[in-house]
Coordinates of all heavy atoms in Angstrom, one line a residue:
F1 N -40.5 22.2 6.1 CA -41.8 22.5 5.5 C -41.7 23.0 3.9 O -42.7 22.9 3.2 CB -42.5 23.6 6.2 CG -42.9 23.3 7.6 CD1 -42.8 24.4 8.6 CD2 -43.1 22.0 8.1 CE1 -43.2 24.1 9.8 CE2 -43.4 21.8 9.3 CZ -43.4 22.9 10.3
T2 N -40.5 23.2 3.5 CA -40.3 23.8 2.2 C -40.8 22.8 1.0 O -41.2 23.2 0.1 CB -38.8 24.2 2.0 OG1 -38.4 25.1 3.0 CG2 -38.7 24.9 0.6
G3 N -40.5 21.5 1.4 CA -40.8 20.5 0.5 C -42.4 20.4 0.1 O -42.8 20.1 -1.0
S4 N -43.1 20.7 1.3 CA -44.6 20.6 1.1 C -45.4 21.8 1.0 O -46.6 21.8 0.5 CB -45.1 19.9 2.5 OG -44.8 20.6 3.5
C5 N -44.7 23.1 1.1 CA -45.2 24.2 1.0 C -44.6 25.1 -0.1 O -43.5 24.7 -0.6 CB -45.2 25.2 2.3 SG -46.0 24.3 3.8
D6 N -45.2 26.2 -0.6 CA -44.6 27.1 -1.5 C -43.5 27.8 -0.8 O -43.6 28.6 0.0 CB -45.7 28.0 -2.0 CG -45.3 29.0 -3.1 OD1 -44.1 28.7 -3.5 OD2 -45.9 29.9 -3.4
S7 N -42.2 27.6 -1.5 CA -41.0 28.1 -0.9 C -41.2 29.7 -0.8 O -40.8 30.3 0.2 CB -39.9 27.8 -1.7 OG -38.7 28.2 -1.2
D8 N -41.6 30.3 -1.9 CA -41.7 31.9 -1.9 C -42.7 32.3 -0.9 O -42.3 33.3 -0.2 CB -42.1 32.3 -3.4 CG -41.1 32.2 -4.4 OD1 -39.9 32.2 -4.1 OD2 -41.3 31.9 -5.5
L9 N -43.8 31.6 -0.8 CA -44.8 32.1 0.3 C -44.2 31.9 1.6 O -44.5 32.8 2.5 CB -46.1 31.2 0.2 CG -47.2 31.6 1.1 CD1 -47.5 33.0 1.0 CD2 -48.4 30.6 0.9
L10 N -43.6 30.8 1.9 CA -42.9 30.6 3.3 C -41.8 31.7 3.5 O -41.9 32.2 4.7 CB -42.2 29.2 3.3 CG -41.5 28.8 4.6 CD1 -42.6 28.7 5.7 CD2 -40.8 27.5 4.3
K11 N -41.0 32.0 2.6 CA -40.0 33.0 2.7 C -40.6 34.4 2.9 O -40.1 35.3 3.7 CB -39.1 33.2 1.6 CG -38.2 31.9 1.4 CD -37.2 32.1 0.2 CE -36.1 30.9 0.1 NZ -35.4 31.0 -1.1
F12 N -41.8 34.7 2.2 CA -42.4 35.9 2.4 C -43.1 36.1 3.8 O -42.9 37.2 4.3 CB -43.6 36.0 1.3 CG -44.3 37.4 1.2 CD1 -43.6 38.5 0.6 CD2 -45.5 37.7 1.8 CE1 -44.2 39.8 0.6 CE2 -46.1 38.9 1.8 CZ -45.5 39.9 1.2
N13 N -43.7 35.1 4.3 CA -44.1 35.0 5.6 C -43.0 35.3 6.7 O -43.1 36.0 7.6 CB -44.9 33.8 6.0 CG -46.1 33.7 5.2 OD1 -46.7 34.7 4.9 ND2 -46.5 32.5 5.0
Q14 N -41.8 34.7 6.4 CA -40.7 35.0 7.3 C -40.2 36.4 7.2 O -39.8 36.9 8.2 CB -39.5 34.0 6.8 CG -39.6 32.6 7.2 CD -38.6 31.7 6.8 OE1 -38.6 31.1 5.7 NE2 -37.6 31.6 7.6
L15 N -40.2 37.0 6.1 CA -39.8 38.3 5.8 C -40.8 39.3 6.5 O -40.4 40.4 7.1 CB -39.8 38.6 4.4 CG -39.3 40.1 3.9 CD1 -37.9 40.3 4.3 CD2 -39.5 40.4 2.4
K16 N -42.1 39.0 6.5 CA -43.0 39.8 7.3 C -42.8 39.7 8.7 O -43.1 40.7 9.6 CB -44.4 39.5 7.0 CG -44.8 39.9 5.4 CD -46.3 39.4 5.2 CE -47.2 40.2 6.0 NZ -48.7 39.9 5.7
F17 N -42.6 38.5 9.2 CA -42.3 38.2 10.6 C -41.1 39.0 11.1 O -41.1 39.6 12.2 CB -42.2 36.7 10.9 CG -42.0 36.4 12.3 CD1 -42.9 36.5 13.3 CD2 -40.7 35.9 12.8 CE1 -42.8 36.2 14.6 CE2 -40.6 35.7 14.1 CZ -41.6 35.8 15.0
R18 N -40.0 38.9 10.4 CA -38.7 39.6 10.8 C -38.1 40.2 9.7 O -37.5 39.6 8.8 CB -37.8 38.7 11.5 CG -36.7 39.4 12.3 CD -35.5 38.5 12.7 NE -34.7 38.3 11.6 CZ -33.7 39.1 11.1 NH1 -33.6 40.3 11.7 NH2 -32.9 39.0 10.0
K19 N -38.3 41.5 9.5 CA -37.7 42.3 8.3 C -36.3 42.4 8.5 O -35.7 42.5 9.5 CB -38.3 43.6 8.3 CG -39.9 43.6 7.9 CD -40.4 45.1 7.8 CE -41.9 45.0 7.5 NZ -42.6 46.3 7.4
K20 N -35.5 42.5 7.3 CA -34.1 42.7 7.3 C -33.8 44.0 7.7 O -34.5 45.0 7.6 CB -33.6 42.4 5.9 CG -33.7 40.9 5.3 CD -32.8 40.0 6.0 CE -32.8 38.6 5.4 NZ -34.1 37.9 5.5
K21 N -32.6 44.0 8.5 CA -32.2 45.4 8.9 C -31.5 46.2 7.7 O -30.4 45.8 7.3 CB -31.3 45.3 10.1 CG -31.9 44.7 11.3 CD -31.0 44.5 12.5 CE -31.6 43.9 13.7 NZ -30.6 43.8 14.8
L22 N -32.1 47.2 7.2 CA -31.6 48.0 6.2 C -31.5 49.5 6.5 O -32.3 49.9 7.4 CB -32.4 47.7 4.9 CG -32.6 46.2 4.6 CD1 -33.7 46.1 3.5 CD2 -31.3 45.5 4.0
K23 N -30.8 50.2 5.7 CA -30.7 51.7 5.9 C -30.5 52.2 4.5 O -29.9 51.8 3.7 CB -29.7 52.1 6.9 CG -28.2 51.8 6.4 CD -27.3 52.3 7.4 CE -25.8 51.9 6.9 NZ -24.7 52.5 7.9
F24 N -31.0 53.6 4.3 CA -30.8 54.2 3.1 C -29.8 55.4 3.5 O -30.0 56.2 4.5 CB -32.0 54.7 2.4 CG -32.8 55.8 3.1 CD1 -32.6 57.2 2.8 CD2 -33.7 55.6 4.2 CE1 -33.2 58.2 3.4 CE2 -34.3 56.7 4.9 CZ -34.1 58.0 4.3
C25 N -28.9 55.7 2.6 CA -28.0 56.9 2.8 C -27.4 57.0 1.4 O -27.8 56.5 0.5 CB -26.9 56.4 3.9 SG -25.9 55.0 3.7
K26 N -26.4 58.1 1.4 CA -25.9 58.5 0.2 C -25.1 57.3 -0.5 O -24.5 56.6 0.2 CB -24.9 59.6 0.5 CG -25.7 61.1 0.6 CD -26.3 61.4 -0.6 CE -27.0 62.8 -0.4 NZ -27.6 63.3 -1.7
S27 N -25.3 57.3 -1.8 CA -24.7 56.2 -2.6 C -23.6 56.7 -3.5 O -23.8 57.8 -4.1 CB -25.7 55.4 -3.3 OG -25.0 54.6 -4.2
H28 N -22.6 55.9 -3.8 CA -21.6 56.4 -4.8 C -22.1 56.2 -6.3 O -21.4 56.6 -7.2 CB -20.2 55.7 -4.5 CG -20.3 54.1 -4.9 ND1 -20.8 53.2 -4.1 CD2 -19.9 53.6 -6.0 CE1 -20.8 52.1 -4.6 NE2 -20.2 52.2 -5.9
I29 N -23.1 55.3 -6.2 CA -23.7 55.0 -7.6 C -24.6 56.3 -8.2 O -24.3 56.8 -9.2 CB -24.6 53.8 -7.6 CG1 -23.7 52.5 -7.2 CG2 -25.2 53.4 -8.8 CD1 -24.4 51.2 -7.2
H30 N -25.6 56.6 -7.3 CA -26.5 57.7 -7.6 C -27.3 58.1 -6.4 O -28.0 57.3 -5.9 CB -27.4 57.2 -8.8 CG -28.5 58.2 -9.2 ND1 -28.1 59.5 -9.8 CD2 -29.7 58.2 -9.0 CE1 -29.3 60.1 -10.0 NE2 -30.4 59.5 -9.5
D31 N -27.1 59.3 -6.0 CA -28.0 60.0 -5.0 C -28.1 59.0 -3.9 O -27.2 58.8 -3.1 CB -29.4 60.3 -5.7 CG -30.1 61.4 -5.0 OD1 -29.3 62.1 -4.1 OD2 -31.2 61.7 -5.2
W32 N -29.3 58.5 -3.5 CA -29.6 57.8 -2.3 C -29.4 56.2 -2.7 O -29.6 55.8 -3.9 CB -30.9 58.0 -1.7 CG -31.0 59.4 -1.1 CD1 -31.5 60.5 -1.8 CD2 -30.5 59.8 0.1 NE1 -31.5 61.6 -1.0 CE2 -30.8 61.2 0.2 CE3 -29.9 59.3 1.2 CZ2 -30.5 62.0 1.3 CZ3 -29.6 60.0 2.3 CH2 -29.9 61.3 2.4
G33 N -29.1 55.4 -1.7 CA -29.1 54.0 -2.0 C -29.5 53.2 -0.7 O -29.5 53.8 0.4
L34 N -29.8 51.9 -0.9 CA -30.2 51.1 0.3 C -28.9 50.2 0.6 O -28.3 49.6 -0.3 CB -31.3 50.2 -0.1 CG -32.1 49.5 1.0 CD1 -32.7 50.5 2.0 CD2 -33.1 48.6 0.4
F35 N -28.7 50.1 1.9 CA -27.6 49.3 2.5 C -28.0 48.3 3.5 O -28.8 48.5 4.3 CB -26.4 50.3 3.0 CG -25.8 51.2 1.9 CD1 -26.6 52.4 1.6 CD2 -24.5 50.9 1.4 CE1 -26.0 53.2 0.7 CE2 -24.0 51.8 0.5 CZ -24.7 53.0 0.0
A36 N -27.2 47.2 3.5 CA -27.5 46.1 4.5 C -26.9 46.4 5.9 O -25.8 46.9 6.0 CB -26.9 44.9 4.1
M37 N -27.7 46.3 7.0 CA -27.1 46.5 8.2 C -27.0 45.2 9.0 O -26.6 45.2 10.2 CB -28.2 47.4 9.1 CG -28.3 48.7 8.6 SD -29.3 49.8 9.6 CE -28.6 49.8 11.2
E38 N -27.1 44.1 8.3 CA -26.8 42.8 8.8 C -26.4 41.9 7.6 O -26.7 42.1 6.5 CB -28.1 42.2 9.5 CG -29.2 41.9 8.5 CD -30.3 41.3 9.2 OE1 -30.1 40.2 9.8 OE2 -31.5 41.8 9.1
P39 N -25.6 40.8 8.0 CA -25.3 39.9 7.0 C -26.5 39.2 6.3 O -27.4 38.8 7.0 CB -24.3 38.9 7.6 CG -24.0 39.5 8.9 CD -25.1 40.4 9.2
I40 N -26.6 39.1 5.0 CA -27.6 38.5 4.3 C -27.2 37.4 3.5 O -26.3 37.5 2.6 CB -28.4 39.4 3.5 CG1 -29.0 40.7 4.3 CG2 -29.7 38.9 2.8 CD1 -29.7 41.7 3.5
A41 N -27.8 36.2 3.7 CA -27.3 34.9 3.0 C -27.8 35.0 1.5 O -28.7 35.6 1.2 CB -27.7 33.6 3.7
A42 N -27.3 34.1 0.7 CA -27.8 34.1 -0.6 C -29.1 33.5 -0.8 O -29.6 32.6 0.2 CB -26.8 33.3 -1.5
D43 N -29.9 33.9 -1.8 CA -31.3 33.3 -2.1 C -32.2 33.6 -0.8 O -33.1 32.8 -0.5 CB -31.3 31.8 -2.3 CG -32.5 31.4 -3.0 OD1 -33.2 32.2 -3.7 OD2 -33.0 30.2 -2.7
E44 N -32.2 34.8 -0.3 CA -33.1 35.1 0.8 C -33.8 36.4 0.3 O -33.4 37.2 -0.5 CB -32.4 35.6 2.1 CG -31.9 34.5 2.9 CD -31.4 34.9 4.3 OE1 -31.7 36.0 4.7 OE2 -30.8 34.1 4.9
M45 N -35.1 36.6 0.8 CA -35.8 37.7 0.5 C -35.3 38.9 1.3 O -35.2 38.8 2.6 CB -37.4 37.6 0.9 CG -38.1 36.7 -0.1 SD -39.8 36.7 0.3 CE -40.4 35.6 -1.0
V46 N -35.0 40.0 0.6 CA -34.3 41.2 1.3 C -35.4 42.2 1.6 O -35.5 42.6 2.8 CB -33.3 41.8 0.3 CG1 -32.7 43.0 1.0 CG2 -32.3 40.8 0.0
I47 N -36.3 42.5 0.7 CA -37.2 43.5 1.0 C -38.4 43.5 -0.1 O -38.1 43.0 -1.3 CB -36.8 45.0 1.0 CG1 -37.8 46.0 1.4 CG2 -36.2 45.4 -0.3 CD1 -37.1 47.4 1.8
E48 N -39.7 43.8 0.2 CA -40.8 43.9 -0.8 C -40.7 45.2 -1.4 O -40.6 46.3 -0.6 CB -42.0 43.5 -0.2 CG -43.2 43.6 -1.1 CD -44.5 43.4 -0.4 OE1 -44.6 43.4 0.8 OE2 -45.6 43.7 -1.1

């Protein structure tokens, strides 16, 4: 469907249908951070 539909809109609908598994906890960069709880491929919507 990507060729005939808006790719960003399609991915956004997918993100709403199944959100990525993420968690926030202490970060070595600064205070709190967000971490992936599942593998995430390149060029995917992670979170809004």
Side-chain angles (χ1 to χ4, degrees):
F1 296 150
T2 307
S4 58
C5 301
D6 182 6
S7 178
D8 287 332
L9 180 59
L10 182 62
K11 289 179 180 179
F12 186 77
N13 290 333
Q14 288 179 266
L15 181 65
K16 290 181 66 177
F17 179 73
R18 196 196 76 81
K19 295 181 180 180
K20 294 288 189 298
K21 294 180 181 178
L22 308 168
K23 65 177 179 180
F24 73 95
C25 55
K26 284 292 183 179
S27 167
H28 70 279
I29 297 177
H30 173 71
D31 206 9
W32 297 95
L34 190 66
F35 295 80
M37 293 182 65
E38 64 174 309
I40 300 175
D43 197 33
E44 283 194 11
M45 284 187 178
V46 179
I47 190 172
E48 179 190 359

